[in-house]
mmCIF file of all heavy atoms in Angstrom:
data_model
loop_
_atom_site.group_PDB
_atom_site.id
_atom_site.type_symbol
_atom_site.label_atom_id
_atom_site.label_comp_id
_atom_site.label_asym_id
_atom_site.label_seq_id
_atom_site.Cartn_x
_atom_site.Cartn_y
_atom_site.Cartn_z
ATOM 1 N N VAL C 37 -3.097 -22.984 22.630
ATOM 2 C CA VAL C 37 -4.463 -22.889 22.122
ATOM 3 C C VAL C 37 -4.870 -21.430 22.228
ATOM 4 O O VAL C 37 -4.801 -20.832 23.306
ATOM 5 C CB VAL C 37 -5.433 -23.785 22.913
ATOM 6 C CG1 VAL C 37 -6.849 -23.632 22.365
ATOM 7 C CG2 VAL C 37 -4.990 -25.245 22.846
ATOM 8 N N VAL C 38 -5.268 -20.832 21.099
ATOM 9 C CA VAL C 38 -5.592 -19.409 21.067
ATOM 10 C C VAL C 38 -6.887 -19.196 20.303
ATOM 11 O O VAL C 38 -7.394 -20.098 19.627
ATOM 12 C CB VAL C 38 -4.468 -18.585 20.401
ATOM 13 C CG1 VAL C 38 -3.178 -18.685 21.191
ATOM 14 C CG2 VAL C 38 -4.243 -19.033 18.960
ATOM 15 N N GLY C 39 -7.408 -17.974 20.402
ATOM 16 C CA GLY C 39 -8.586 -17.601 19.635
ATOM 17 C C GLY C 39 -9.763 -18.501 19.931
ATOM 18 O O GLY C 39 -10.080 -18.793 21.088
ATOM 19 N N ASP C 40 -10.394 -18.979 18.871
ATOM 20 C CA ASP C 40 -11.570 -19.834 19.024
ATOM 21 C C ASP C 40 -11.170 -21.310 19.017
ATOM 22 O O ASP C 40 -11.881 -22.155 18.487
ATOM 23 C CB ASP C 40 -12.589 -19.540 17.919
ATOM 24 C CG ASP C 40 -12.013 -19.729 16.524
ATOM 25 O OD1 ASP C 40 -10.777 -19.825 16.413
ATOM 26 O OD2 ASP C 40 -12.791 -19.782 15.559
ATOM 27 N N GLY C 41 -10.031 -21.614 19.631
ATOM 28 C CA GLY C 41 -9.591 -22.997 19.763
ATOM 29 C C GLY C 41 -8.553 -23.432 18.755
ATOM 30 O O GLY C 41 -8.309 -24.630 18.594
ATOM 31 N N ARG C 42 -7.892 -22.491 18.095
ATOM 32 C CA ARG C 42 -6.819 -22.857 17.168
ATOM 33 C C ARG C 42 -5.584 -23.294 17.953
ATOM 34 O O ARG C 42 -5.270 -22.725 18.993
ATOM 35 C CB ARG C 42 -6.456 -21.673 16.262
ATOM 36 C CG ARG C 42 -7.587 -21.241 15.370
ATOM 37 C CD ARG C 42 -7.209 -20.059 14.492
ATOM 38 N NE ARG C 42 -8.419 -19.415 14.023
ATOM 39 C CZ ARG C 42 -9.109 -19.828 12.965
ATOM 40 N NH1 ARG C 42 -8.677 -20.852 12.263
ATOM 41 N NH2 ARG C 42 -10.220 -19.211 12.605
ATOM 42 N N THR C 43 -4.885 -24.269 17.415
ATOM 43 C CA THR C 43 -3.645 -24.708 18.043
ATOM 44 C C THR C 43 -2.463 -24.058 17.339
ATOM 45 O O THR C 43 -2.478 -23.854 16.124
ATOM 46 C CB THR C 43 -3.495 -26.239 17.979
ATOM 47 O OG1 THR C 43 -3.530 -26.670 16.609
ATOM 48 C CG2 THR C 43 -4.605 -26.921 18.754
ATOM 49 N N VAL C 44 -1.444 -23.723 18.112
ATOM 50 C CA VAL C 44 -0.233 -23.099 17.590
ATOM 51 C C VAL C 44 0.949 -23.970 17.982
ATOM 52 O O VAL C 44 1.199 -24.190 19.171
ATOM 53 C CB VAL C 44 -0.043 -21.674 18.156
ATOM 54 C CG1 VAL C 44 1.194 -21.027 17.545
ATOM 55 C CG2 VAL C 44 -1.277 -20.821 17.900
ATOM 56 N N ARG C 45 1.665 -24.483 16.993
ATOM 57 C CA ARG C 45 2.849 -25.307 17.248
ATOM 58 C C ARG C 45 4.095 -24.472 16.979
ATOM 59 O O ARG C 45 4.285 -23.968 15.877
ATOM 60 C CB ARG C 45 2.832 -26.561 16.371
ATOM 61 C CG ARG C 45 1.636 -27.457 16.652
ATOM 62 C CD ARG C 45 1.749 -28.811 15.981
ATOM 63 N NE ARG C 45 0.585 -29.633 16.260
ATOM 64 C CZ ARG C 45 0.429 -30.368 17.357
ATOM 65 N NH1 ARG C 45 1.387 -30.382 18.273
ATOM 66 N NH2 ARG C 45 -0.665 -31.083 17.534
ATOM 67 N N LEU C 46 4.919 -24.340 17.990
ATOM 68 C CA LEU C 46 6.130 -23.529 17.912
ATOM 69 C C LEU C 46 7.334 -24.458 17.853
ATOM 70 O O LEU C 46 7.552 -25.264 18.762
ATOM 71 C CB LEU C 46 6.226 -22.610 19.129
ATOM 72 C CG LEU C 46 5.031 -21.669 19.345
ATOM 73 C CD1 LEU C 46 5.159 -20.943 20.673
ATOM 74 C CD2 LEU C 46 4.907 -20.679 18.196
ATOM 75 N N ILE C 47 8.133 -24.335 16.797
ATOM 76 C CA ILE C 47 9.253 -25.238 16.559
ATOM 77 C C ILE C 47 10.539 -24.418 16.507
ATOM 78 O O ILE C 47 10.709 -23.567 15.633
ATOM 79 C CB ILE C 47 9.057 -26.027 15.253
ATOM 80 C CG1 ILE C 47 7.749 -26.824 15.317
ATOM 81 C CG2 ILE C 47 10.241 -26.944 14.993
ATOM 82 C CD1 ILE C 47 7.390 -27.524 14.020
ATOM 83 N N SER C 48 11.446 -24.676 17.438
ATOM 84 C CA SER C 48 12.698 -23.934 17.544
ATOM 85 C C SER C 48 13.841 -24.775 16.992
ATOM 86 O O SER C 48 14.082 -25.887 17.456
ATOM 87 C CB SER C 48 12.970 -23.576 19.010
ATOM 88 O OG SER C 48 14.214 -22.929 19.146
ATOM 89 N N LEU C 49 14.562 -24.219 16.019
ATOM 90 C CA LEU C 49 15.686 -24.936 15.416
ATOM 91 C C LEU C 49 17.034 -24.331 15.782
ATOM 92 O O LEU C 49 18.065 -24.861 15.368
ATOM 93 C CB LEU C 49 15.545 -24.944 13.888
ATOM 94 C CG LEU C 49 14.274 -25.558 13.307
ATOM 95 C CD1 LEU C 49 14.336 -25.549 11.783
ATOM 96 C CD2 LEU C 49 14.054 -26.968 13.821
ATOM 97 N N GLY C 50 17.036 -23.240 16.549
ATOM 98 C CA GLY C 50 18.283 -22.525 16.785
ATOM 99 C C GLY C 50 18.680 -22.383 18.236
ATOM 100 O O GLY C 50 19.396 -21.432 18.582
ATOM 101 N N GLY C 51 18.224 -23.289 19.092
ATOM 102 C CA GLY C 51 18.643 -23.241 20.489
ATOM 103 C C GLY C 51 18.062 -22.062 21.242
ATOM 104 O O GLY C 51 16.933 -21.633 20.996
ATOM 105 N N ASP C 52 18.860 -21.513 22.164
ATOM 106 C CA ASP C 52 18.368 -20.459 23.047
ATOM 107 C C ASP C 52 17.884 -19.231 22.285
ATOM 108 O O ASP C 52 16.907 -18.595 22.680
ATOM 109 C CB ASP C 52 19.464 -20.047 24.035
ATOM 110 C CG ASP C 52 19.773 -21.133 25.055
ATOM 111 O OD1 ASP C 52 18.944 -22.058 25.194
ATOM 112 O OD2 ASP C 52 20.835 -21.056 25.701
ATOM 113 N N ARG C 53 18.582 -18.877 21.197
ATOM 114 C CA ARG C 53 18.195 -17.670 20.462
ATOM 115 C C ARG C 53 16.792 -17.796 19.889
ATOM 116 O O ARG C 53 15.965 -16.892 20.037
ATOM 117 C CB ARG C 53 19.200 -17.389 19.336
ATOM 118 C CG ARG C 53 20.485 -16.729 19.806
ATOM 119 C CD ARG C 53 21.505 -16.647 18.698
ATOM 120 N NE ARG C 53 21.032 -15.924 17.532
ATOM 121 C CZ ARG C 53 21.031 -14.596 17.413
ATOM 122 N NH1 ARG C 53 21.465 -13.842 18.407
ATOM 123 N NH2 ARG C 53 20.607 -14.016 16.311
ATOM 124 N N THR C 54 16.509 -18.907 19.250
ATOM 125 C CA THR C 54 15.174 -19.050 18.670
ATOM 126 C C THR C 54 14.141 -19.430 19.724
ATOM 127 O O THR C 54 12.955 -19.145 19.553
ATOM 128 C CB THR C 54 15.184 -20.064 17.518
ATOM 129 O OG1 THR C 54 15.800 -21.286 17.948
ATOM 130 C CG2 THR C 54 15.950 -19.516 16.327
ATOM 131 N N ASP C 55 14.571 -20.049 20.818
ATOM 132 C CA ASP C 55 13.640 -20.263 21.931
ATOM 133 C C ASP C 55 13.104 -18.917 22.419
ATOM 134 O O ASP C 55 11.903 -18.758 22.677
ATOM 135 C CB ASP C 55 14.338 -20.969 23.095
ATOM 136 C CG ASP C 55 14.638 -22.432 22.813
ATOM 137 O OD1 ASP C 55 14.143 -22.956 21.795
ATOM 138 O OD2 ASP C 55 15.380 -23.037 23.611
ATOM 139 N N GLY C 56 13.998 -17.944 22.539
ATOM 140 C CA GLY C 56 13.578 -16.623 22.989
ATOM 141 C C GLY C 56 12.641 -15.949 22.007
ATOM 142 O O GLY C 56 11.668 -15.298 22.400
ATOM 143 N N LEU C 57 12.926 -16.098 20.710
ATOM 144 C CA LEU C 57 12.044 -15.524 19.697
ATOM 145 C C LEU C 57 10.656 -16.137 19.787
ATOM 146 O O LEU C 57 9.641 -15.426 19.741
ATOM 147 C CB LEU C 57 12.637 -15.753 18.307
ATOM 148 C CG LEU C 57 11.769 -15.306 17.125
ATOM 149 C CD1 LEU C 57 11.534 -13.803 17.153
ATOM 150 C CD2 LEU C 57 12.400 -15.737 15.803
ATOM 151 N N LEU C 58 10.593 -17.448 19.946
ATOM 152 C CA LEU C 58 9.288 -18.102 20.009
ATOM 153 C C LEU C 58 8.546 -17.760 21.294
ATOM 154 O O LEU C 58 7.310 -17.738 21.309
ATOM 155 C CB LEU C 58 9.458 -19.614 19.868
ATOM 156 C CG LEU C 58 9.864 -20.084 18.469
ATOM 157 C CD1 LEU C 58 10.026 -21.593 18.442
ATOM 158 C CD2 LEU C 58 8.844 -19.651 17.417
ATOM 159 N N THR C 59 9.272 -17.479 22.359
ATOM 160 C CA THR C 59 8.613 -17.008 23.580
ATOM 161 C C THR C 59 7.917 -15.680 23.318
ATOM 162 O O THR C 59 6.778 -15.451 23.758
ATOM 163 C CB THR C 59 9.637 -16.856 24.716
ATOM 164 O OG1 THR C 59 10.181 -18.139 25.028
ATOM 165 C CG2 THR C 59 8.981 -16.272 25.964
ATOM 166 N N ARG C 60 8.591 -14.798 22.587
ATOM 167 C CA ARG C 60 7.976 -13.515 22.228
ATOM 168 C C ARG C 60 6.773 -13.731 21.314
ATOM 169 O O ARG C 60 5.719 -13.104 21.488
ATOM 170 C CB ARG C 60 9.005 -12.614 21.550
ATOM 171 C CG ARG C 60 10.159 -12.207 22.455
ATOM 172 C CD ARG C 60 11.298 -11.595 21.652
ATOM 173 N NE ARG C 60 10.890 -10.362 20.981
ATOM 174 C CZ ARG C 60 11.566 -9.801 19.985
ATOM 175 N NH1 ARG C 60 12.678 -10.378 19.518
ATOM 176 N NH2 ARG C 60 11.134 -8.678 19.437
ATOM 177 N N ILE C 61 6.918 -14.619 20.333
ATOM 178 C CA ILE C 61 5.815 -14.901 19.414
ATOM 179 C C ILE C 61 4.626 -15.492 20.167
ATOM 180 O O ILE C 61 3.469 -15.138 19.904
ATOM 181 C CB ILE C 61 6.294 -15.835 18.290
ATOM 182 C CG1 ILE C 61 7.222 -15.064 17.337
ATOM 183 C CG2 ILE C 61 5.119 -16.444 17.536
ATOM 184 C CD1 ILE C 61 7.890 -15.923 16.285
ATOM 185 N N ALA C 62 4.904 -16.382 21.123
ATOM 186 C CA ALA C 62 3.817 -16.977 21.907
ATOM 187 C C ALA C 62 3.023 -15.910 22.645
ATOM 188 O O ALA C 62 1.797 -16.033 22.811
ATOM 189 C CB ALA C 62 4.389 -17.993 22.895
ATOM 190 N N GLY C 63 3.700 -14.856 23.069
ATOM 191 C CA GLY C 63 3.005 -13.783 23.760
ATOM 192 C C GLY C 63 2.164 -12.912 22.848
ATOM 193 O O GLY C 63 1.245 -12.227 23.310
ATOM 194 N N ASP C 64 2.469 -12.927 21.540
ATOM 195 C CA ASP C 64 1.777 -12.056 20.582
ATOM 196 C C ASP C 64 0.768 -12.781 19.703
ATOM 197 O O ASP C 64 -0.082 -12.140 19.079
ATOM 198 C CB ASP C 64 2.800 -11.377 19.660
ATOM 199 C CG ASP C 64 3.652 -10.341 20.373
ATOM 200 O OD1 ASP C 64 3.173 -9.780 21.380
ATOM 201 O OD2 ASP C 64 4.789 -10.100 19.928
ATOM 202 N N ILE C 65 0.855 -14.105 19.620
ATOM 203 C CA ILE C 65 0.065 -14.818 18.620
ATOM 204 C C ILE C 65 -1.435 -14.707 18.882
ATOM 205 O O ILE C 65 -2.238 -14.662 17.946
ATOM 206 C CB ILE C 65 0.504 -16.304 18.528
ATOM 207 C CG1 ILE C 65 -0.175 -17.001 17.342
ATOM 208 C CG2 ILE C 65 0.237 -17.033 19.830
ATOM 209 C CD1 ILE C 65 0.191 -16.454 15.994
ATOM 210 N N GLY C 66 -1.839 -14.635 20.145
ATOM 211 C CA GLY C 66 -3.264 -14.506 20.435
ATOM 212 C C GLY C 66 -3.851 -13.233 19.848
ATOM 213 O O GLY C 66 -4.928 -13.248 19.232
ATOM 214 N N ASP C 67 -3.144 -12.113 20.016
ATOM 215 C CA ASP C 67 -3.610 -10.847 19.449
ATOM 216 C C ASP C 67 -3.570 -10.883 17.925
ATOM 217 O O ASP C 67 -4.439 -10.302 17.258
ATOM 218 C CB ASP C 67 -2.754 -9.688 19.960
ATOM 219 C CG ASP C 67 -3.018 -9.360 21.423
ATOM 220 O OD1 ASP C 67 -4.062 -9.788 21.958
ATOM 221 O OD2 ASP C 67 -2.170 -8.669 22.030
ATOM 222 N N ALA C 68 -2.565 -11.549 17.359
ATOM 223 C CA ALA C 68 -2.473 -11.652 15.902
ATOM 224 C C ALA C 68 -3.661 -12.436 15.343
ATOM 225 O O ALA C 68 -4.272 -12.041 14.345
ATOM 226 C CB ALA C 68 -1.156 -12.313 15.502
ATOM 227 N N VAL C 69 -3.991 -13.549 15.988
ATOM 228 C CA VAL C 69 -5.149 -14.342 15.556
ATOM 229 C C VAL C 69 -6.425 -13.511 15.658
ATOM 230 O O VAL C 69 -7.266 -13.514 14.752
ATOM 231 C CB VAL C 69 -5.261 -15.634 16.388
ATOM 232 C CG1 VAL C 69 -6.610 -16.317 16.159
ATOM 233 C CG2 VAL C 69 -4.121 -16.590 16.040
ATOM 234 N N ALA C 70 -6.568 -12.783 16.755
ATOM 235 C CA ALA C 70 -7.768 -11.959 16.937
ATOM 236 C C ALA C 70 -7.889 -10.906 15.838
ATOM 237 O O ALA C 70 -8.984 -10.649 15.318
ATOM 238 C CB ALA C 70 -7.740 -11.296 18.310
ATOM 239 N N ALA C 71 -6.763 -10.283 15.463
ATOM 240 C CA ALA C 71 -6.792 -9.258 14.415
ATOM 241 C C ALA C 71 -7.186 -9.858 13.074
ATOM 242 O O ALA C 71 -7.981 -9.273 12.320
ATOM 243 C CB ALA C 71 -5.430 -8.580 14.316
ATOM 244 N N VAL C 72 -6.640 -11.025 12.751
ATOM 245 C CA VAL C 72 -6.960 -11.667 11.476
ATOM 246 C C VAL C 72 -8.416 -12.128 11.464
ATOM 247 O O VAL C 72 -9.135 -11.935 10.475
ATOM 248 C CB VAL C 72 -6.002 -12.836 11.209
ATOM 249 C CG1 VAL C 72 -6.451 -13.647 9.996
ATOM 250 C CG2 VAL C 72 -4.578 -12.316 10.991
ATOM 251 N N GLU C 73 -8.870 -12.731 12.556
ATOM 252 C CA GLU C 73 -10.261 -13.178 12.611
ATOM 253 C C GLU C 73 -11.229 -12.004 12.519
ATOM 254 O O GLU C 73 -12.291 -12.114 11.889
ATOM 255 C CB GLU C 73 -10.508 -13.959 13.898
ATOM 256 C CG GLU C 73 -9.857 -15.332 13.927
ATOM 257 C CD GLU C 73 -10.200 -16.119 15.174
ATOM 258 O OE1 GLU C 73 -10.670 -15.508 16.161
ATOM 259 O OE2 GLU C 73 -10.001 -17.343 15.162
ATOM 260 N N LYS C 74 -10.888 -10.891 13.137
ATOM 261 C CA LYS C 74 -11.769 -9.718 13.095
ATOM 262 C C LYS C 74 -11.972 -9.241 11.669
ATOM 263 O O LYS C 74 -13.082 -8.849 11.276
ATOM 264 C CB LYS C 74 -11.182 -8.602 13.954
ATOM 265 C CG LYS C 74 -12.034 -7.337 13.990
ATOM 266 C CD LYS C 74 -11.405 -6.272 14.871
ATOM 267 C CE LYS C 74 -12.244 -4.999 14.890
ATOM 268 N NZ LYS C 74 -11.616 -3.942 15.740
ATOM 269 N N PHE C 75 -10.908 -9.272 10.864
ATOM 270 C CA PHE C 75 -11.025 -8.798 9.485
ATOM 271 C C PHE C 75 -11.517 -9.886 8.543
ATOM 272 O O PHE C 75 -12.401 -9.655 7.711
ATOM 273 C CB PHE C 75 -9.679 -8.269 8.995
ATOM 274 C CG PHE C 75 -9.702 -7.847 7.550
ATOM 275 C CD1 PHE C 75 -10.276 -6.642 7.185
ATOM 276 C CD2 PHE C 75 -9.173 -8.662 6.555
ATOM 277 C CE1 PHE C 75 -10.334 -6.255 5.849
ATOM 278 C CE2 PHE C 75 -9.221 -8.286 5.222
ATOM 279 C CZ PHE C 75 -9.802 -7.077 4.867
ATOM 280 N N TRP C 76 -10.942 -11.084 8.640
ATOM 281 C CA TRP C 76 -11.128 -12.114 7.621
ATOM 282 C C TRP C 76 -12.174 -13.152 7.993
ATOM 283 O O TRP C 76 -12.666 -13.885 7.139
ATOM 284 C CB TRP C 76 -9.792 -12.794 7.340
ATOM 285 C CG TRP C 76 -9.770 -13.637 6.110
ATOM 286 C CD1 TRP C 76 -9.606 -14.992 6.033
ATOM 287 C CD2 TRP C 76 -9.909 -13.182 4.757
ATOM 288 N NE1 TRP C 76 -9.630 -15.411 4.727
ATOM 289 C CE2 TRP C 76 -9.814 -14.309 3.919
ATOM 290 C CE3 TRP C 76 -10.104 -11.930 4.173
ATOM 291 C CZ2 TRP C 76 -9.914 -14.213 2.530
ATOM 292 C CZ3 TRP C 76 -10.199 -11.838 2.796
ATOM 293 C CH2 TRP C 76 -10.109 -12.969 1.992
#
Side-chain angles (χ1 to χ4, degrees):
V37 179
V38 297
D40 58 346
R42 297 179 200 277
T43 58
V44 183
R45 298 191 181 276
L46 303 173
I47 302 174
S48 176
L49 302 183
D52 291 344
R53 281 172 58 82
T54 51
D55 288 350
L57 175 63
L58 289 179
T59 296
R60 295 167 63 196
I61 288 173
D64 290 334
I65 188 64
D67 288 343
V69 168
V72 171
E73 288 184 343
K74 181 179 179 181
F75 176 77
W76 193 245

